[in-house]
Amino acid sequence: MDAAGHSSSKPKKLQRISQACDRCHRRSIRCRPSTENAQQQCQNCYDFGVDCTYNRPSRRRRNPSQAHASPPNVLAQRPGLTVGASTRHDTGSSHGKVPTDGQPDVMGALAAIREGSRDDLHDLAWRSFALASLGTIEWYIEVYIEIVYPIFPLFHVPSLREKLRQRLHLTDRGFFASVMAACALAAARVRDGATSDHRHLTDSPEKASEIFFAAAQDAIGKDFSKAHGLGSMRACGLLAVTAIQYGQIRTMHEYLGKYMTLRAMQQCHDERFWPPGVSIIEREERRRIYWSMYTFDIYTAVVFDGLMWSQETHSNVCYPVEVNDEDLLAEPASPTDDNNWLRGWNFTTDLYRMLEHSMMRMRRSKAMHNGRSSVTRLLLPSDMPDAQLMDNVLGAYYELPARFRVVNAPATGDRRQTLFGFQAALIQTTLQLVRMTLFSTVTNHDVDSKCYVAEQVLTTFHSIAPQYLRAISTPLVHHLDRIGRILASVMEGLLCEQSYQRVRNLLVSMADLLQGLESGLQPTAGASQDLRAQIEKIDRYTDGQRALYSSVGPQQTTAILSHGVGGGMMAQGQGRAEGQVPTLAAMGLATPLDEFQLPLDLVSGQAWPWPFEFGGEGGMMGVE
């Protein structure tokens, strides 16, 4: 006691901590005892309400008697705060679920801020965006199910909806990447006119497809060694498809390559190497992803003259079971069902397998070996005529149930009918791609055969119900590019009035078809008008030549041949280049069978508008 009779008490001296706790050590901050709970926690852990642990091995030499001592009892926490266990998903990121005052931390935000690295905080920003955009995400996923899923059924729909309801995309990084990629593709298709509902696209810029694309990009990450399961692989596939929708072919190749890398690392090409005990749902998702991306790989190799990553002979993966998602867990007695829409989807895969071999046949016939001897001709004879091959393909097509051959059924709102309509449209567009590829294996086609193939393809496309064409969207434009190359090769050659009018009408038909596709198709906006303008430009030239010939008369044909049109010198027998025939007026057009040739600046090179740059190289599908 002091002189006044008051008791004096000195604050208890805190014992210095000889070893920093795990959290303070990781954050490189001073670890000091807590003044409130010194026996259980350090002050920092007490302030943040987290476990104060000493689980890392000490660098100091311990007393042998303490070598196996238990770490301090640090389980006590601040009232009202419980830190849950963290979970790891797909790419190995940890997101704890931390209830605070009874409110769950659905994104692991508290754990990321207290314990996380810079990458965790970056992920947290995207998860915050996703949490704020739940309504938009749910709407885009329904759009995906409506117009993308029939072509790329990469999810089990009931599981997808249930996981979104539980907000698992906020904690599972791989699933988050898949959902963001699906939203990016759905948003791009909606923007490009695949549906009539644009209400979510005009509200605010954060609903744009590119925002979701960026979110998926960041979630996939760069360290593929940490990517396990289907999430990141499925996301890469969806981003590759979305890149085509944007018209960004290099980006498409980038994400197709990333998908193939992940597929190889996980040995997804062979079911024997799949993880043991995979569920029925995951097994079917794996099969659908594998064959979806196989067909996409072959498609891109055909239309962009690229490399084929896949070969069906190297694939030991079954086709998806032909049963609806809702009935998948019932394990059907047979994997095939003619009355299920997946029967048509699997047949489309058959067509792409045929297309793979057709393209190999075509490339063998045109290969430049650069000094290498050709061994394929010795091992792989290809003496079957192309017409017979196409007849075989059509024979398989006509064996399908009739509902897969009805391509003009109107939209009724019946989801089951819509699924069958999508398959019928997809089968027909793929059949025409096979037809054009087989046609390209032979050179020096005459005008009639080229026009016949173009007529067959365009007539088929015009017969397909517009809603399915719009849903297939940008990839269909590249089918039209193949037809354009065939017609351009006719325009560059010798023409008569009859053949010219036939090709011109086919070009107009293509412009009509494109106009129906490009109502909002950003990469090709205005292409139909540009194509019509080019047709009119050619018409003006031919009309002018006809008028010039009519004003000159047949008796002056010889003078025209000697002096050229418009006073310019043009030697007889010379038109656009040495050895070619003169133009329309110089030929003295008198009957529909008289031949002429159009100037190069009208029918080749950059004369045709994008995406119909038919001239020049001509690519793999160029026709001679």
Side-chain angles (χ1 to χ4, degrees), residues 51-270:
D51 290 348
C52 190
T53 60
Y54 293 81
N55 294 328
R56 78 183 192 284
S58 174
R59 294 184 179 180
R60 292 188 177 184
R61 181 176 298 175
R62 291 186 176 183
N63 188 310
S65 63
Q66 299 177 344
H68 300 286
S70 299
N73 181 12
V74 291
L75 298 180
Q77 296 176 323
R78 292 177 66 179
L81 183 62
T82 304
V83 179
S86 63
T87 56
R88 287 187 182 270
H89 301 279
D90 197 66
T91 55
S93 60
S94 301
H95 307 306
K97 294 186 178 181
V98 186
T100 305
D101 298 329
Q103 298 297 321
D105 180 18
V106 295
M107 300 183 302
L110 297 179
I113 292 172
R114 293 168 179 157
E115 306 286 344
S117 64
R118 181 178 302 174
D119 291 340
D120 293 326
L121 297 178
H122 186 69
D123 293 341
L124 176 60
W126 280 121
R127 295 200 302 277
S128 300
F129 160 76
L131 182 61
S133 306
L134 284 177
T136 302
I137 290 172
E138 290 173 358
W139 186 74
Y140 279 149
I141 290 299
E142 291 304 315
V143 171
Y144 172 90
I145 294 171
E146 178 187 353
I147 63 173
V148 180
Y149 171 85
I151 305 172
F152 294 100
L154 307 189
F155 295 90
H156 177 254
V157 170
S159 299
L160 172 62
R161 286 174 170 152
E162 178 61 21
K163 289 179 179 179
L164 285 176
R165 188 188 67 81
Q166 297 179 9
R167 301 185 180 181
L168 295 184
H169 62 295
L170 300 179
T171 56
D172 185 326
R173 187 169 182 174
F175 184 57
F176 175 84
S178 292
V179 169
M180 294 297 103
C183 288
L185 179 54
R189 290 280 170 94
V190 170
R191 181 175 61 196
D192 288 347
T195 70
S196 58
D197 191 349
H198 296 261
R199 66 180 186 272
H200 275 60
L201 296 178
T202 57
D203 294 343
S204 52
E206 63 267 17
K207 296 176 182 177
S209 172
E210 288 77 7
I211 297 296
F212 292 93
F213 193 100
Q217 278 182 310
D218 284 352
I220 291 170
K222 298 180 179 179
D223 188 356
F224 284 3
S225 65
K226 296 180 180 179
H228 306 289
L230 299 181
S232 294
M233 186 164 57
R234 175 167 46 203
C236 286
L238 288 168
L239 291 185
V241 179
T242 307
I244 277 195
Q245 197 69 28
Y246 295 163
Q248 297 175 357
I249 306 307
R250 289 177 62 87
T251 304
M252 179 273 295
H253 284 302
E254 175 187 353
Y255 280 96
L256 180 58
K258 289 182 176 180
Y259 163 82
M260 293 298 175
T261 299
L262 289 171
R263 189 184 77 175
M265 291 172 64
Q266 299 184 36
Q267 295 185 294
C268 293
H269 69 286
D270 194 331

Side-chain angles (χ1 to χ4, degrees), residues 439-497:
F439 182 80
S440 300
T441 61
V442 178
T443 59
N444 299 321
H445 290 285
D446 58 29
V447 171
D448 286 339
S449 61
K450 292 178 181 180
C451 290
Y452 173 77
V453 168
E455 286 172 344
Q456 290 289 309
V457 176
L458 290 173
T459 300
T460 299
F461 284 174
H462 278 291
S463 69
I464 299 174
Q467 69 267 22
Y468 299 123
L469 293 179
R470 287 194 298 269
I472 295 173
S473 199
T474 302
L476 188 61
V477 175
H478 296 288
H479 286 66
L480 298 182
D481 176 67
R482 305 303 101 192
I483 295 298
R485 294 189 185 280
I486 294 175
L487 296 179
S489 68
V490 176
M491 280 290 201
E492 292 178 13
L494 286 174
L495 294 169
C496 64
E497 182 69 16

Side-chain angles (χ1 to χ4, degrees), residues 511-533:
D512 292 341
L513 183 61
L514 182 62
Q515 184 175 358
L517 291 173
E518 67 170 7
S519 58
L521 207 58
Q522 290 202 352
T524 60
S528 63
Q529 295 181 0
D530 293 340
L531 183 57
R532 293 184 195 279

